[in-house]
Every structure is written in C-alpha cells, then in structure tokens.
Amino acid sequence: MAFISSFLPRKCGIATFTSDLITNVAAAARGHFTPLVAAMHNNTDAKYTDPVKFEIRQNVKSDYISAADYLNFSNIDLVSVQHEFGLFGGDAGSYLGLLLNKLNAPVVTTLHTVLDEPNPDYYKSMVEVCDASYKVITMNRRGVGMLQDIYGIDEKKIRLIPHGIPDLPFVDNNYYKFKFGMEGRRTILTFGLLSKNKGIEIMLRAMPEIIKVEPSALYVVLGMTHPEVLKYDGESYRFGLQRMVAELGLQNHVIFHNRFVKDEELHNFLCAADVYVTPYLNREQLTSGTLSFAVGTGKAVVSTPYWAAEELLDQGQGVLVPFNDSAKMAQAVSEIFKNNSLFYSLRKKAYEYGRSRTWPRIGKEYWQLFCEKQMPICVTIPGPLSAVKAISAVELPELKFDHLKKLTDDTGLYQHAKFTVPDRSFGYCTDDNARALIVTSKYYSQYADQQALDMFDIYLSFLLYAQNEDGSVRNFMNFDRTWMKKEPDTDALGRFLWALGHIISEPPSPYYLSIIKDRFDRSAALVEKTEHPHNMAYAILGMASYLEQFPGASDIKRLLTIAADNLAKWYKNYAADDWQWFYKKLTYDNAVLPNAMYTAAAALNDDKYLGIAEKTAVFLLSETFNGSHFSFIGCNGWYEKGKKKTKFDQQPIEAAGTILMLKSAYNASKNKEYIRIQRKAFDWFLGGNDIHMPLYDFKTKGCCDAIMQGGININQGAESTVSFLLGLLAITEGYTIEKSLSPLTAVDKNLKAGPVADIVKTYAKSNSVKEFA
C-alpha cells in the first residue's frame, strides 16, 4: 500500500495520524501489509526514513507527475490519501488531482477537512479528489451529509470512520503530575500546534476567575507554533500570549511548552491533566485529533462547539461553552474543580466513549475496508492526453536561479554579461529589474523560497528608486549608481506598472501592498500621456492585475480603458487586409500588443478589444510560426510592411512574450491549439528554432542572448535569462480546460477578402497546427 500524506518527522498533526494509521493497520494485517509513503515535503529540513520512499515538494507540479509514475511502477495494490487542502500545491491543493488521475491503483481518501461554503476553487478540488477515489472517508457524521448535499458525492462512496484514539489506561493523575513537577496543582491542558484560531487568549482571560475558585490552578499550553505560522508571522502570536500572561499576573499559573512533543511525552501530559480545554474560535472544524486523544484518555473536557466537539461530546462526555466567552469558560472549569462528582462523571463517560475509537479498533476498520473483495482493479487504457496533461507530463528544465543570482548584486540586476560574467560597464536598467521582480514573485508563490524573496526585495527596491516624484520612471543606471542623463525614450513606465501591478495582484505578503499601491497610483496617472504602443501595452497588463486585487478602483479602470482605446486606435490607423498590426513595422516583444488587447477585453468585458486581439495574434503567428517551429522577427532590421523580413538576431524576449500571449489567447477562447503552440514557443529556447541549437544553458542555468546568422550569441545577459524564466513559469502554470471546447473564434464577418482573411479563416477551421500550416 502507498500512503500520500505528510509524515514524521515533519511536525504536523496529519503526519502523526498517518504514522498511527500505518502502525495499527500493520497490526491488524498480521504480516499481509507493506506500507510505502510518498511524503509531502514543504521546504523543511526533515530527514525521512523508512517507510518513506518518495518525497513530493508541495509546490512543484512536476513532482506530482513523477510520484504517479513512481507509484505505478512500484506494484502498488492500493493508495491511501490523507487529504487536507493546505498539504498540496496549486489552487486549493489542485495539484493532487494531477497525481490521482494518473494512478493505476484504486484510491481511498481520508478527508481531514470538508468545507460547508467552499469557493469555486475549493469545490472543484474536492470534487476532483472524490471522483478519483474509490472510497472517501470522513471522521464525522456531519461530514457524510456535507459530502452528499454540498458536493454531490454518492452515499455508496462515503465511509464514516472516526479519528483514532491512543489506547491508554484510566489512571490516577498524581503520579504523572509528580513527573512534571506539578504535584498539588489542579492542571488544565491544551495541546497542539499553536495558531491564532486556537483561542488560547480566551482561556487566559478565564484564568483569574478560575484561580479565585481553585488557587492551585495551572494552565499548560503544550506545543510549538505551527510551522506555517512561523514561516509568515514568526512567534508574534505566542509573544502576545506571553504578554497577556504578564498583564493578568498569571506567571505562576500558566506554562508554555514551546516544542513538538512525541507520542510518549504527550500521553504523559494527558495523564497528568485534570481538565482538557479547546477554546477554538471557528465552528468549521470537522476533526480534532487533540480532542479525540483527550476524550480517549478520560479527561474532563471543556470546549467551544466546533463541529468535531459537538459530535464527540454530544452525550455528556464533556461540557460545551459558547465561542469567545471567557466568562462561560471560567464558569465551566471552576464548576468541575468544585464538584468532584461532576469531575469523575465526565472522566468516566469520556473514557468509556473512547473505547470504541481506540487506534487498534480503527486500524481494523481501515484494514477491512482496504481488503474489500469488490475493490476494483484499475487498468489504464491509452488515450489522447488533454492539453494540460500533455504539457505537464513532459520533462521541462528545473527552475533554477543560479545565473540570475550571479547577475544580481545589492543594487539590482546587471543588464549584460560577457558569457556568464556580469558586464558592469552597462550598469542596470528598470526594464530588466521589472521582469525579474515578476519572475521572483511567481517563483516565490510556487516554492516559498527565501532566496527568491530576498532577490525580490532587491528588484523592488531598484524599481522604487527609479520612480521620480512626478511618477515618471528612469530606466538606465550606471554602475556607480548614477542615472543616465538624457536617456532615450523607453518603456520603463509601462514595465514599472506591469511589475507593480502583478505584485499588487499576488503580493508575497500583504504588507507589500502598503509600500507599492501609492507608487503605482502615482505612475498610473501618466498613462493618459503615454504615446508609444508598447508602453500602453505593459501598462494595460499592470492595471488589469491591479483591478484583480481592487476591482472597485474606478480611476484605474478609467485609465485602463483610455490605454486600451488608444492602442485600438493605433491598430485602426495601420491595419489593412494584408497587415493586421498596430503600426507599419514588427519590432521587439511584438506579442505583448495582442496580449494587452486580450487582457483589456477580459478586464473590461469588452469584445471590441477581443476582436483586435484575435486578428493581430493570428497575424503574428502567421509571420513567426511555420507549423513546426517558431522563427521570430530579427532585431537587425525588424520587419517593415512591404519589405523583407529580417531573420536574425532573434531574441528570447520574443519567445517569452509569445508564450504569455498564447496563454491569454487560450483563456479567451479555450482553444487547445493555443496551448500546443505555446509549447512550441517554449521549445524555441531548447533547440526548436531555425538553427536547431538550444539557447538555454543547462550547466549555468542562464540563457544566451540571441540566435545569430552564424550560431548562438553565447553572452547570457539579464533580458534573455529573465525571459527564459518567465516563459518557463508561464508554461508550467495550470489551465482550466472545459469539457466542451468551442472552436477558435477568430473570424470576423466584416473582415475583407485578402491574404489575412484567408489565413484567419483557415486557422479557424483547422484541427491542428500541421493542418493549418
């Protein structure tokens, strides 16, 4: 059997659950069970041992595909998944679906969380996991009804198996109190990974009243801060609790044990406690291993009425008090301390109830389910891959920042390099730092890598320094940190807005919003004066991202409309039957112009921009894609209407821009052909080009600057390397493939006859790139 879950020594409740499950299933199986764990890994330093055989990095999509292949070749009879949304990568843990849908063996999934009001991403993710599972297990009666009523899961697929409880004796706790130096004290215990939703402050505020009734009362908070909380907030919550202890004068009545305790030590603490409390703040918690343990060891329990507590304590096994009510919490605990009859009655009922849920019993229930005779044998029938699966299953270079880091100092990103050596004579530029800011932001959102965040801060600092008080943006900085005087016209304003807009949409931390929103607003005010199409296009991308975070920002929406209308005017001024473009020449980063039109159409819900996007995108593809590979417009002369197209030098920015444009084209049309062509655009980096040579250097992790007539320009500068990384990040991001795909809607009924019209109509009717070519 394979288990897909977090696993010890990772400090996580589900890791402990899975370890206990394997131990007790093994005992029930009596030698007929061999476990293999595919452990979910979250960038910790955990060192795994047997039975962990495979590690899945949480936010690395390709690891999920590799895990499926590994399990399929490992003679697995059955797969058990421990599902919690936060364990898995992708939106709402959606990467798990990629893995499950590739597995040959049947899947049994234990659901540790079931949401009663899921947003669309969480709903879709849950349904996909359930559809891929032979059986789904919930630990709570409420969960059965929620799966049926909210998610439409067939009742026959659902199995109710409670959370396991340690099989501990009913003991006198004085012996254990002596072990911890708590003899003579009436002890209250809360344990588990610490986070704000635990409501510890509610219990602390109750302690003064409890002490009036029982002066010896001692509250023990057992457990380290949750690793995910530590990552983003550090120990701020714990420090706040400690300040509250001091303010309330509770130093002799509260103990914090800030560590992750192993089972044996936890059992000893449980045995030492008189009362166990869970003052949690949220009702929507379907399972609680900590509460189950407390009930199973016969503790007098006081809890708020979250779902798991309502079920575990519904027959008098404990006392329920309202949420956020310190007075009621104090009253309930005080009454237990005053009334020995109530104290022992609660203990007895809890212990007896827990006998039906001990881990040996739960292990047998799981083993019986795993051994059901009707368990289907899964046979994979070869069939056509969806566009998404075809892309995600193909080997891609691993995202590495080795060369990008080499090109970065504490000022920013160097423009150029001689081979891989940074060329300081050219200094830095805003354009490159803006693109690098987007790359590190996207990387950090997938991998939560601290080095990426450190580089992000450097690039952001450069951009903020590049902005003038009036909102204009400088572009070229010398190596001595002085700005170039009389610099030529650039796209710095647009790229500045694109980068900051992206960060506003997806900030690494909410605190960044306070830094960059005002800066964005200051520069956005200049969009009305922008005359160059590329500057408009980059600004449109940034403003559309801004509106994703602040959809009610009417000023930004007005400016976005102005920029989109101005770009549309450029198209109308220059477009002709044989030249569907924004001006008389195809130059650099051509694909950003149709991409901006697609983006404006989506942001403003206006089809007039979509029509322009489709015509110009098809025109650009007809000029750069020959059906087998891309041949981009060369920068040594560009391509002016009526003249010969320049073939060299072809630059990586064209491939990256085309990849992003094709993503927008797919999102607008849901035509899978765009995704297939997108992969062709990325293959340009890897040798799918006119000279059949890769520009990406697998050794240095940098990208060469251009395809030249005689070969490759081996210099690996900022623009080329960042373009490669931007393209790779875009190609690995997920798409939503609808079950019913409409054909490409690229034909404008009013399009006049001519070569471009023929191309557009042919493309719309084609079933493949090959047929179109």
Side-chain angles (χ1 to χ4, degrees):
M1 273 196 65
F3 291 80
I4 300 172
S5 173
S6 56
F7 203 74
L8 301 176
R10 180 172 171 179
K11 295 164 182 177
C12 163
I14 293 179
T16 302
F17 177 94
T18 306
S19 177
D20 289 338
L21 177 62
I22 288 174
T23 298
N24 287 280
V25 168
R30 298 183 179 181
H32 297 284
F33 166 78
T34 303
L36 176 161
V37 175
M40 297 307 304
H41 193 57
N42 66 339
N43 297 322
T44 64
D45 296 325
K47 303 297 182 184
Y48 295 104
T49 57
D50 195 64
V52 174
K53 303 294 185 185
F54 195 93
E55 297 175 29
I56 304 171
R57 291 168 293 179
Q58 178 176 345
N59 294 306
V60 181
K61 184 190 257 187
S62 60
D63 279 12
Y64 293 79
I65 305 299
S66 298
D69 292 337
Y70 179 86
L71 295 177
N72 285 338
F73 287 108
S74 297
N75 298 313
I76 298 299
D77 297 308
L78 188 70
V79 177
S80 170
V81 177
Q82 303 306 314
H83 181 267
E84 171 66 64
F85 292 105
L87 274 186
F88 305 101
D91 293 336
S94 57
Y95 288 176
L96 177 63
L98 290 173
L99 194 167
L100 299 185
N101 285 319
K102 280 181 65 73
L103 290 175
N104 294 337
V107 175
V108 174
T109 298
T110 302
L111 302 173
H112 291 258
T113 295
V114 181
L115 301 175
D116 65 332
E117 294 182 356
N119 69 29
D121 287 339
Y122 283 88
Y123 176 86
K124 180 184 175 185
S125 179
M126 175 65 82
V127 170
E128 185 173 21
V129 167
C130 291
D131 285 348
S133 303
Y134 165 68
K135 292 286 185 183
V136 292
I137 297 168
T138 179
M139 305 184 204
N140 187 294
R141 290 192 301 270
R142 181 188 290 268
V144 175
M146 290 169 65
L147 288 170
Q148 293 176 253
D149 300 338
I150 299 172
Y151 299 92
I153 308 303
D154 189 340
E155 181 183 9
K156 295 178 182 177
K157 181 176 277 196
I158 304 168
R159 186 68 62 89
L160 174 62
I161 302 179
H163 196 297
I165 292 173
D167 191 10
L168 298 176
F170 190 82
V171 297
D172 177 54
N173 56 10
N174 287 318
Y175 167 76
Y176 293 92
K177 287 182 182 180
F178 181 80
K179 290 183 68 171
F180 294 113
M182 298 187 298
E183 60 270 22
R185 306 292 296 266
R186 299 302 298 273
T187 54
I188 308 162
L189 176 67
T190 295
F191 78 87
L193 295 173
L194 206 60
S195 60
K196 290 182 179 179
N197 64 346
K198 299 295 185 182
I200 306 300
E201 62 274 19
I202 306 302
M203 187 60 205
L204 293 180
R205 293 191 188 104
M207 283 300 293
E209 292 302 315
I210 295 171
I211 293 167
K212 290 178 184 178
V213 174
E214 178 52 68
S216 72
L218 177 66
Y219 181 35
V220 179
V221 182
L222 177 63
M224 64 176 284
T225 301
H226 196 291
E228 293 301 309
V229 175
L230 273 177
K231 186 187 300 183
Y232 297 105
D233 298 326
E235 290 285 11
S236 59
Y237 179 55
R238 184 184 296 276
F239 292 161
L241 295 176
Q242 290 170 340
R243 285 195 300 272
M244 183 181 290
V245 167
E247 290 166 3
L248 295 172
L250 299 175
Q251 293 91 331
N252 295 324
H253 296 274
V254 177
I255 296 175
F256 290 94
H257 285 286
N258 184 11
R259 64 179 187 276
F260 186 80
V261 295
K262 295 183 178 180
D263 281 355
E264 182 179 355
E265 187 178 10
L266 171 59
H267 296 164
N268 288 337
F269 269 105
L270 276 169
C271 290
D274 293 301
V275 176
Y276 183 79
V277 295
T278 54
Y280 297 170
L281 302 179
N282 301 321
R283 182 180 297 276
E284 295 80 13
Q285 183 169 334
L286 203 59
T287 61
S288 172
T290 61
L291 184 61
S292 297
F293 288 8
V295 169
T297 51
K299 297 294 102 179
V301 175
V302 180
S303 176
T304 51
Y306 55 95
W307 292 337
E310 284 183 323
E311 181 162 317
L312 275 169
L313 308 179
D314 67 347
Q315 297 176 26
Q317 299 95 324
V319 179
L320 294 174
V321 299
F323 292 104
N324 285 299
D325 195 330
S326 296
K328 292 291 185 184
M329 181 67 72
Q331 183 181 335
V333 175
S334 297
E335 186 61 29
I336 291 171
F337 282 158
K338 288 191 298 184
N339 188 338
N340 274 340
S341 176
L342 174 62
F343 173 64
Y344 287 110
S345 172
L346 290 172
R347 289 199 62 192
K348 180 173 179 292
K349 288 180 180 178
Y351 189 76
E352 289 176 348
Y353 180 79
R355 295 307 86 204
S356 64
R357 296 167 174 244
T358 60
W359 263 119
R361 288 176 178 266
I362 298 304
K364 288 179 182 178
E365 283 197 54
Y366 270 91
W367 179 240
Q368 288 168 4
L369 172 60
F370 295 157
C371 291
E372 282 186 353
K373 292 182 180 179
Q374 67 268 33
M375 189 70 73
I377 297 174
C378 291
V379 178
T380 301
I381 300 173
L385 288 172
S386 75
V388 165
K389 291 179 181 176
I391 287 174
S392 60
V394 173
E395 286 298 320
L396 292 169
E398 188 173 2
L399 273 163
K400 289 286 189 181
F401 279 3
D402 299 40
H403 189 57
L404 188 64
K405 179 69 175 174
K406 191 173 185 178
L407 292 175
T408 303
D409 66 6
D410 58 359
T411 298
L413 183 64
Y414 291 111
Q415 277 194 81
H416 296 294
K418 293 184 177 179
F419 183 41
T420 63
V421 180
D423 189 346
R424 299 182 181 185
S425 61
F426 288 96
Y428 320 83
C429 77
T430 296
D431 289 349
D432 292 334
N433 281 272
R435 284 187 291 258
L437 186 71
I438 295 172
V439 164
T440 49
S441 168
K442 285 178 173 286
Y443 186 90
Y444 184 77
S445 71
Q446 290 191 37
Y447 302 98
D449 179 75
Q450 185 59 45
Q451 182 190 56
L453 189 59
D454 293 341
M455 295 166 71
F456 172 94
D457 286 343
I458 291 172
Y459 305 140
L460 178 59
S461 176
F462 185 96
L463 289 189
L464 298 181
Y465 186 58
Q467 187 188 43
N468 295 310
E469 284 298 318
D470 64 356
S472 60
V473 180
R474 293 167 289 198
N475 195 31
F476 297 109
M477 177 187 277
N478 301 310
F479 178 66
D480 63 2
R481 295 188 179 182
T482 59
W483 291 101
M484 179 186 291
K485 296 178 181 179
K486 297 181 181 181
E487 65 180 20
D489 290 338
T490 68
D491 303 322
L493 175 68
R495 294 190 196 271
F496 177 90
L497 291 171
W498 179 24
L500 263 61
H502 175 80
I503 307 311
I504 288 171
S505 173
E506 299 179 23
S509 163
Y511 300 116
Y512 284 98
L513 290 177
S514 62
I515 300 173
I516 62 177
K517 180 188 173 297
D518 288 344
R519 296 295 196 100
F520 184 99
D521 293 345
R522 189 188 307 170
S523 291
L526 302 180
V527 168
E528 291 181 83
K529 302 176 184 178
T530 299
E531 296 181 355
H532 196 277
H534 278 75
N535 236 339
M536 297 176 197
Y538 296 124
I540 286 169
L541 299 182
M543 290 187 289
S545 294
Y546 183 107
L547 290 172
E548 290 177 11
Q549 182 69 259
F550 302 114
S554 54
D555 262 7
I556 300 301
K557 190 174 292 185
R558 179 182 63 82
L559 292 168
L560 173 55
T561 303
I562 290 171
D565 285 344
N566 286 340
L567 193 54
K569 286 178 186 176
W570 277 81
Y571 167 77
K572 291 174 183 177
N573 289 339
Y574 286 96
D577 290 346
D578 61 343
W579 190 260
Q580 293 288 308
W581 200 241
F582 298 88
Y583 42 103
K584 62 181 181 180
K585 185 185 290 188
L586 287 167
T587 57
Y588 66 97
D589 200 5
N590 293 296
V592 75
L593 302 174
N595 188 15
M597 289 282 91
Y598 278 121
T599 301
L604 301 172
N605 194 26
D606 194 330
D607 285 346
K608 72 181 178 185
Y609 306 127
L610 182 60
I612 296 172
E614 289 173 335
K615 292 171 189 176
T616 54
V618 169
F619 172 71
L620 183 61
L621 290 174
S622 71
E623 296 292 347
T624 57
F625 183 57
N626 64 17
S628 63
H629 69 267
F630 274 87
S631 178
F632 294 112
I633 307 300
C635 68
N636 287 335
W638 306 118
Y639 177 29
E640 190 169 350
K641 180 181 178 182
K643 297 184 179 180
K644 187 178 179 181
K645 186 190 309 180
T646 303
K647 194 170 184 178
F648 301 105
D649 295 347
Q650 296 178 36
Q651 298 178 307
I653 191 174
E654 302 302 324
T658 301
I659 290 167
L660 296 175
M661 178 195 77
L662 288 167
K663 179 178 180 180
S664 296
Y666 169 75
N667 288 336
S669 67
K670 296 296 183 284
N671 187 292
K672 292 187 291 185
E673 199 66 24
Y674 281 133
I675 300 177
R676 296 189 181 93
I677 303 173
Q678 186 197 47
R679 178 56 205 249
K680 292 288 187 180
F682 183 76
D683 285 344
W684 181 89
F685 289 107
L686 307 180
N689 51 51
D690 286 335
I691 62 173
H692 308 294
M693 292 178 65
L695 284 86
Y696 178 64
D697 189 327
F698 284 84
K699 184 176 181 180
T700 67
K701 315 303 180 189
C703 181
C704 297
D705 280 350
I707 293 177
M708 304 168 69
Q709 190 160 5
I712 296 290
N713 179 338
I714 64 169
N715 295 330
Q716 297 177 16
E719 181 181 286
S720 54
T721 296
V722 172
S723 293
F724 171 81
L725 292 169
L726 195 59
L728 180 56
L729 283 160
I731 207 81
T732 56
E733 286 174 344
Y735 292 83
T736 302
I737 301 288
E738 295 180 356
K739 291 183 179 179
S740 176
L741 287 158
S742 59
L744 177 64
T745 56
V747 180
D748 185 339
K749 293 179 181 178
N750 298 319
L751 191 64
K752 296 178 182 179
V756 174
D758 292 341
I759 290 171
V760 170
K761 291 172 183 176
T762 301
Y763 194 90
K765 294 176 183 177
S766 299
N767 294 314
S768 68
V769 174
K770 186 175 181 181
E771 182 180 327
F772 165 60

